[in-house]
Amino acid sequence: MLLISQFLLLLLLLPSSISFTLLPHSRSLSLPTTTATTTSLSAKKKVIVLGGDGFCGWPTSLYLSDKGHSVTIVDNLSRRNIDTELGCQSLTPISSPQTRVNAWKEVSGKTIDFHNIDVAKDYDKLLALIKEKKPDTIIHFAEQRAAPYSMKSTKGKRYTVDNNIGGTNNLCCAVADSGLDVHIVHLGTMGVYGYGTSGGEIPEGYIDVTLPGGREANILHPAYPGSVYHATKCLDAIMFQFYNKNDQLRVTDLHQGIVWGTNTPQTVRDERLINRFDYDGDYGTVLNRFLMQGGMGVPLTVYGTGGQTRGFIHITDTTKCLEIAMENPPKKGERVEIFNQIAETRRVRDVAQMVATQTGVDMKLVPNPRQEAAENELDVSNRKFLSAGLSPTTLESENGLFSEVIDIVQKYKHRCDPEMILPASYWNKERAKACEGNLDIEKHMKKETKV
């Protein structure tokens, strides 16, 4: 008879060979006992933010500092180095880490420490910092976050695995070695589930199944990654399960949707605090890429049929979700807590139509560089964050955030390189061949760009 741990390994390696049966009670989810209703949100914590210089890490660091938490940023600036490698800078002019934290001190009176540490390589420095700071929480953003970059080349694939898995393992080892009771909060991705593979609503991390012999169990949702990047997030989840079982580490894993937006109430307080805005084919999220094209007056390039359904969340809500997770840790000995961190689901072509309506540009279907289903449904549970008090911003919210992003694009579009917007990474040789016609589209876009 298979042990559950063995069964989980089979699920990871052979997801297509397992049959899942959603049990009637699987749609009725409730928050764990450690919710916002039982935790004092006024308690201030010592927090280390790994990857705190990045797109999600920087605004989260400012938000937590603004709320009175003691924040230390750790980052090796690899994302800035990748800008140089790709020859494409952030649309917004981002300041150096030291300039950023100094500016935050000026406008807020609060101090954020910065340490240049490679989490995947500098284990001794990471362990020493944890022992010195004695954090209540470590938020883990320190991973290569772009699926296209992870599929760009052999180098990109190997770097993504080495950096992401090595960093997660080092973090878990360091927390265990420190002897401290530190809560790890990890930013994962909705992509660990695959899209439309559950046979119904995607639950928050764990799924009810019927095993051979009619045995009922609640297990980690099977992994079905769509890129090397997504595969590393699946392996992260398995790593957390092990260290939780073996060393009783307290871990919360956040499966986040596609992030849109740029600024938050904290980053707008000074030009030096502005968040990065990626629009290129490798790092630009689909909505920001559409907004970039719309702001420049060129057609929105929709991959394939645009029938892919994805989860979306605004960057401001990302920061709020991180605090909710931080304030509601699992108790010692409890299993890894998992939240689905999304505000809504939308088809890509519907998102493109929204941007086209706002900006007055056309949409253009282009061959898809990714190996994925042309159309999929996506029904996702996000009850935990909603029950904890999150009131998410949606794409059609009336608070002007859509317009704010368009304003950012208009202000800085002179910094855009139109040649970088279209995809430059392909999932396999067949996809690369199918996308050969994109070169002509790229030339036309460059010619028609309104700057």
Side-chain angles (χ1 to χ4, degrees):
M1 184 171 64
L2 287 175
L3 297 174
I4 288 295
S5 59
Q6 295 171 316
F7 186 70
L8 288 174
L9 183 58
L10 286 175
L11 291 176
L12 177 64
L13 298 177
L14 299 169
S16 61
S17 66
I18 304 296
S19 176
F20 308 103
T21 302
L22 285 176
L23 301 180
H25 67 273
S26 67
R27 294 180 64 88
S28 178
L29 298 178
S30 60
L31 273 170
T33 55
T34 53
T35 66
T37 59
T38 59
T39 302
S40 172
L41 295 181
S42 63
K44 305 308 177 187
K45 295 179 181 285
K46 291 183 290 183
V47 187
I48 295 177
V49 181
L50 307 180
D53 185 55
F55 174 57
C56 292
W58 174 242
T60 298
S61 298
L62 294 188
Y63 175 79
L64 295 178
S65 176
D66 203 27
K67 296 296 289 288
H69 302 288
S70 175
V71 177
T72 297
I73 287 176
V74 170
D75 205 295
N76 70 338
L77 310 183
S78 62
R79 180 65 191 89
R80 294 173 185 252
N81 294 333
I82 291 174
D83 277 345
T84 301
E85 174 192 337
L86 297 179
C88 184
Q89 61 186 346
S90 165
L91 182 71
T92 51
I94 53 174
S95 301
S96 69
Q98 197 57 55
T99 298
R100 281 177 152 186
V101 297
N102 288 343
W104 179 243
K105 174 73 172 179
E106 289 179 25
V107 302
S108 71
K110 297 180 172 66
T111 299
I112 293 179
D113 293 333
F114 173 79
H115 295 264
N116 190 326
I117 297 175
D118 188 328
V119 175
K121 296 179 179 179
D122 301 332
Y123 178 80
D124 291 339
K125 291 181 180 179
L126 175 64
L127 177 59
L129 183 67
I130 292 173
K131 288 182 175 180
E132 174 193 343
K133 296 293 184 179
K134 296 180 173 56
D136 300 294
T137 307
I138 297 178
I139 298 177
H140 183 19
F141 293 112
E143 297 184 284
Q144 194 291 105
R145 64 175 175 83
Y149 184 83
S150 78
M151 302 298 292
K152 192 176 191 67
S153 63
T154 299
K155 175 186 175 182
K157 292 175 181 178
R158 296 178 67 243
Y159 170 74
T160 301
V161 170
D162 291 346
N163 181 78
N164 293 7
I165 303 304
T168 295
N169 188 50
N170 277 355
L171 171 59
C172 291
C173 284
V175 170
D177 285 353
S178 74
L180 301 171
D181 183 20
V182 180
H183 175 211
I184 296 173
V185 180
H186 172 252
L187 189 70
T189 172
M190 284 295 301
V192 299
Y193 299 120
Y195 293 101
T197 60
S198 294
E201 181 187 65
I202 295 178
E204 303 204 60
Y206 300 93
I207 189 169
D208 295 316
V209 298
T210 301
L211 301 176
R215 292 169 295 148
E216 297 179 356
N218 180 253
I219 64 171
L220 189 68
H221 193 287
Y224 200 58
S227 71
V228 170
Y229 158 75
H230 291 104
T232 64
K233 295 292 190 176
C234 295
L235 293 170
D236 283 341
I238 296 296
M239 195 82 72
F240 292 137
Q241 293 289 326
F242 169 75
Y243 280 102
N244 170 258
K245 177 187 71 173
N246 192 70
D247 298 283
Q248 292 76 55
L249 295 193
R250 295 185 299 131
V251 180
T252 298
D253 204 1
L254 307 176
H255 294 334
Q256 181 168 259
I258 296 171
V259 184
W260 66 281
T262 304
N263 278 322
T264 67
Q266 290 74 38
T267 64
V268 297
R269 293 169 68 176
D270 190 289
E271 182 78 6
R272 294 167 294 175
L273 301 175
I274 196 169
N275 197 22
R276 68 178 300 124
F277 185 109
D278 295 310
Y279 63 88
D280 61 285
D282 283 335
Y283 276 88
T285 61
V286 62
L287 180 51
N288 281 2
R289 185 168 55 81
F290 285 162
L291 290 167
M292 181 77 253
Q293 292 175 310
M296 298 187 70
V298 298
L300 312 182
T301 50
V302 179
Y303 296 167
T305 67
Q308 310 91 336
T309 304
R310 298 293 184 262
F312 292 88
I313 187 170
H314 190 267
I315 185 64
T316 298
D317 288 332
T318 291
T319 67
K320 295 176 181 177
C321 287
L322 264 296
E323 187 183 32
I324 290 173
M326 187 180 80
E327 295 286 6
N328 295 280
K331 295 178 180 177
K332 194 81 170 179
E334 291 182 344
R335 70 180 181 178
V336 174
E337 179 62 276
I338 300 175
F339 291 74
N340 289 339
Q341 190 166 303
I342 68 166
E344 61 186 324
T345 59
R346 296 271 188 164
R347 286 196 188 278
V348 171
R349 60 174 171 254
D350 295 335
V351 174
Q353 185 59 61
M354 291 175 64
V355 177
T357 300
Q358 288 261 348
T359 60
V361 302
D362 296 327
M363 296 189 303
K364 184 176 183 62
L365 300 181
V366 301
N368 194 344
R370 302 181 180 223
Q371 185 69 37
E372 62 184 4
E375 307 268 336
N376 73 275
E377 301 298 327
L378 187 62
D379 184 14
V380 182
S381 172
N382 63 345
R383 296 183 184 92
K384 292 181 181 180
F385 275 128
L386 297 180
S387 298
L390 179 69
S391 179
T393 297
T394 62
L395 296 178
E396 294 180 334
S397 295
E398 296 296 330
N399 55 10
L401 291 178
F402 220 67
S403 298
E404 181 267 334
V405 180
I406 294 175
D407 289 343
I408 288 287
V409 169
Q410 290 293 339
K411 182 176 181 179
Y412 296 108
K413 66 181 183 181
H414 63 278
R415 292 171 52 88
C416 173
D417 181 352
E419 294 184 6
M420 302 302 297
I421 298 176
L422 286 176
S425 299
Y426 309 98
W427 263 232
N428 52 45
K429 294 179 180 178
E430 289 74 17
R431 291 289 85 213
K433 184 173 180 59
C435 292
E436 287 177 353
N438 287 350
L439 294 174
D440 294 332
I441 299 173
E442 179 179 294
K443 292 177 182 177
H444 178 73
M445 284 177 56
K446 185 176 181 181
K447 181 180 179 181
E448 296 298 321
T449 296
K450 301 174 184 177
V451 293

